Amino acid sequence: MIARLLFPALLLAVLAAACGGGGGNGDSPIEIEEATSERGVSSTGRQSSTITLRFDREVSLARSQVPLASRIEVDMPDVISGGTRRVLVASAEVHPNDGRTILVTVSEPVPEGARIRIDRRAFDADAEGELLATVSSDLTPGFALLATTAFQSFLPGLLEQPEVPPVTDADRDPAAMRQLLEEHLANRGTNDDLRAQALAAYDAMPAEIVPSPKLRAALAALTGTFANPAIDYLLTDQNCTREPAALIAFQPPPEIPELLGRSTRSPDGARVISINPVTEGDRLEHLMALLTHEAIHCDRISGRFEEIAATAFDTFLYMQLIAADPTLVESNTPLSRDLNVDVIALINSGRAVPESVGILQSSGVTQAVPGSSSTAPSFGDLVIAAYESIEFNESAPEPLARAYVELLAQLAGMDSGPPFDLIYLDELLGRAMPPSAMATALVAFEMAPVR
């Protein structure tokens, strides 16, 4: 019975297609009700978008030798020129389960405000004109540009020879450093509870373990950040050595004195964090990033992936600090220059969320630090080049790195995962970075797209 009822409808559909008009649909022409774009990223980083077109009725295509995709174009907003540019579509088809929907594939991100144009002859061979619709997307034109283009910094002096900052009396004055810590917390907008916790941590920090009041202030300043767990990890037995660090001090890193920081062990097995004395005059925030990095290395072996992760964490923190105080980028010390270059590489990397930050190579980016002598195509490659003496990738898990990940995963709305899994870490950092912090960094570093 059901088959008998359906047969006339099927017959009418076949006859309508055979007649070649395809799209009379009564007296009024077909119209687009809604156009939405969803971006996709392949496992290799290739980007595309699927535009879902919802029509006011069932779609009936005219018989034609011209593919449907050839009758569709997209006008993309061009941030640089202020106009638009025409983009051809890769494919188009009627949705297999929804006759009122056409799925259009474009081989790049489609931002909010793009306009899609369809030749009406796709539906009626005798029709004239075009159907027009404005596309809705979760990407702005600016972030779509970030997702596909490398950005270069034009900040004066960025790549000039750095200078060792002078050490002042205040850098070694406990009262002055406590005041500096208070000012930093206020500038960050830290609430009263976290402010009290940070100052209490500073006051209670043993000077025999952290002799420098400036390092005590930098470590206490991690309160309220995702690197907060580093404080207890260094000062208590909650780490892989099961005892507090023996020393955290400005001193030449043993065996490799040119390093800015190094984690080693004392003769009895306790940790020693050596911070190069050339950084003593650096700003508090730069030292915060350095401590965030060195605190991770607890066991005696660090592979490439661990160094990439540790550097990514310190750079991520630094970007959040820049969001509170953009003048940080104006310093030109050995430590600040390294951090600044790493920020640019982090911005120009990212496979999973290419409009944000990341560590893997972004589609369309061949140089992570444009304008420099580095040929590294991604943040991860830049770090590997800096640690060329390390010839292996894997190393034992580090509990502090996992603690960082757990806090960042809450910001990103993701499940916690292995911190040295670069694919996971790339997505985590991309989703956890606030767009406002990205925007502030772009302005602070005077970044512009490479063309």
Side-chain angles (χ1 to χ4, degrees), residues 9-25:
L10 292 173
L11 180 59
L12 287 174
V14 171
L15 289 174
C19 290
N25 291 313

Side-chain angles (χ1 to χ4, degrees), residues 313-327:
F313 288 132
D314 73 50
T315 309
F316 189 96
L317 176 72
Y318 182 50
M319 282 190 68
Q320 293 184 317
L321 298 174
I322 290 171
D325 185 356
T327 66

Side-chain angles (χ1 to χ4, degrees), residues 288-409:
M288 290 170 62
L290 186 55
L291 289 169
T292 296
H293 179 127
E294 294 304 328
I296 289 175
H297 302 311
C298 187
D299 60 36
R300 299 177 187 271
I301 299 176
S302 300
R304 289 173 173 171
F305 293 168
E306 181 173 333
E307 291 294 355
I308 290 172
T311 308
F313 288 132
D314 73 50
T315 309
F316 189 96
L317 176 72
Y318 182 50
M319 282 190 68
Q320 293 184 317
L321 298 174
I322 290 171
D325 185 356
T327 66
L328 289 171
V329 308
E330 298 170 5
S331 298
N332 186 34
T333 70
L335 175 55
S336 66
R337 174 177 168 166
D338 279 2
L339 288 167
N340 287 344
V341 169
D342 287 344
V343 167
I344 294 167
L346 200 73
I347 289 173
N348 280 323
S349 301
R351 178 180 299 173
V353 193
E355 70 275 13
S356 184
V357 298
I359 58 178
L360 302 178
Q361 185 175 4
S362 281
S363 176
V365 175
T366 57
Q367 187 180 20
V369 189
S372 73
S373 60
S374 171
T375 59
S378 72
F379 178 90
D381 292 299
L382 184 72
V383 175
I384 288 175
Y387 291 92
E388 57 183 5
S389 62
I390 301 178
E391 298 179 348
F392 56 93
N393 292 329
E394 307 290 345
S395 55
E398 291 284 8
L400 183 60
R402 188 171 291 278
Y404 289 174
V405 162
E406 288 175 356
L407 292 174
L408 289 173

Side-chain angles (χ1 to χ4, degrees), residues 94-401:
V94 178
H95 194 293
N97 300 316
D98 183 356
R100 292 179 60 183
T101 298
I102 287 180
L103 302 177
V104 178
T105 303
V106 180
S107 300
E108 62 178 274
V110 176
E112 181 78 15
R115 296 271 287 175
I116 191 164
R117 297 184 286 113
I118 306 177
D119 187 338
R120 287 188 179 275
R121 288 177 294 177
F123 310 101
D124 185 339
D126 298 323
E128 296 181 354
E130 297 176 324
L131 282 77
L132 298 174
T134 301
V135 179
S136 297
S137 171
D138 61 354
L139 278 180
T140 65
F143 277 99
L145 183 64
L146 268 172
T148 56
T149 308
F151 275 60
Q152 180 175 345
S153 172
F154 292 92
L155 183 69
L158 176 72
L159 299 177
E160 292 180 0
Q161 185 65 28
E163 298 180 358
V164 175
V167 179
T168 67
D169 291 341
D171 290 325
R172 297 174 178 175
D173 182 336
M177 289 299 98
R178 193 181 194 278
Q179 178 62 33
L180 181 64
L181 173 60
E182 284 196 86
E183 292 171 358
H184 164 80
L185 296 169
N187 190 50
R188 255 172 51 196
T190 305
N191 64 41
D192 290 343
D193 288 343
L194 288 175
R195 174 181 170 278
Q197 290 177 35
L199 293 173
Y202 175 82
D203 293 337
M205 208 170 293
E208 61 271 19
I209 295 179
V210 195
S212 164
K214 192 167 192 180
L215 286 181
R216 295 202 296 273
L219 190 55
L222 296 179
T223 301
T225 73
F226 75 88
N228 194 127
I231 302 173
D232 285 345
Y233 200 72
L234 290 173
L235 300 178
T236 72
D237 62 0
Q238 301 303 304
N239 59 69
C240 73
T241 68
R242 297 300 180 215
E243 58 181 315
L247 184 66
I248 303 169
F250 288 116
Q251 61 181 19
E255 300 176 3
I256 316 177
E258 66 271 18
L259 291 180
L260 295 178
R262 192 177 186 207
S263 174
T264 56
R265 297 287 186 91
S266 66
D268 65 358
R271 300 179 69 192
V272 174
I273 305 296
S274 301
I275 304 299
N276 198 309
V278 303
T279 69
E280 188 174 359
D282 268 288
R283 292 187 58 172
L284 190 73
E285 293 85 351
H286 298 135
L287 293 169
M288 290 170 62
L290 186 55
L291 289 169
T292 296
H293 179 127
E294 294 304 328
I296 289 175
H297 302 311
C298 187
D299 60 36
R300 299 177 187 271
I301 299 176
S302 300
R304 289 173 173 171
F305 293 168
E306 181 173 333
E307 291 294 355
I308 290 172
T311 308
F313 288 132
D314 73 50
T315 309
F316 189 96
L317 176 72
Y318 182 50
M319 282 190 68
Q320 293 184 317
L321 298 174
I322 290 171
D325 185 356
T327 66
L328 289 171
V329 308
E330 298 170 5
S331 298
N332 186 34
T333 70
L335 175 55
S336 66
R337 174 177 168 166
D338 279 2
L339 288 167
N340 287 344
V341 169
D342 287 344
V343 167
I344 294 167
L346 200 73
I347 289 173
N348 280 323
S349 301
R351 178 180 299 173
V353 193
E355 70 275 13
S356 184
V357 298
I359 58 178
L360 302 178
Q361 185 175 4
S362 281
S363 176
V365 175
T366 57
Q367 187 180 20
V369 189
S372 73
S373 60
S374 171
T375 59
S378 72
F379 178 90
D381 292 299
L382 184 72
V383 175
I384 288 175
Y387 291 92
E388 57 183 5
S389 62
I390 301 178
E391 298 179 348
F392 56 93
N393 292 329
E394 307 290 345
S395 55
E398 291 284 8
L400 183 60

Side-chain angles (χ1 to χ4, degrees), residues 24-83:
N25 291 313
D27 295 329
S28 61
I30 190 169
E31 299 293 345
I32 301 172
E33 287 187 338
E34 183 180 41
T36 58
S37 177
E38 182 175 351
R39 193 262 307 274
V41 182
S42 73
S43 60
T44 60
R46 187 178 297 277
Q47 300 181 69
S48 63
S49 292
T50 299
I51 303 174
T52 300
L53 299 177
R54 179 73 173 172
F55 291 82
D56 61 356
R57 69 198 70 176
E58 291 281 329
V59 172
S60 179
L61 300 179
R63 295 180 61 184
S64 174
Q65 298 297 316
V66 179
L68 176 59
S70 298
R71 296 194 182 277
I72 304 175
E73 293 180 357
V74 180
D75 293 328
M76 296 280 208
D78 191 319
V79 175
I80 297 175
S81 70

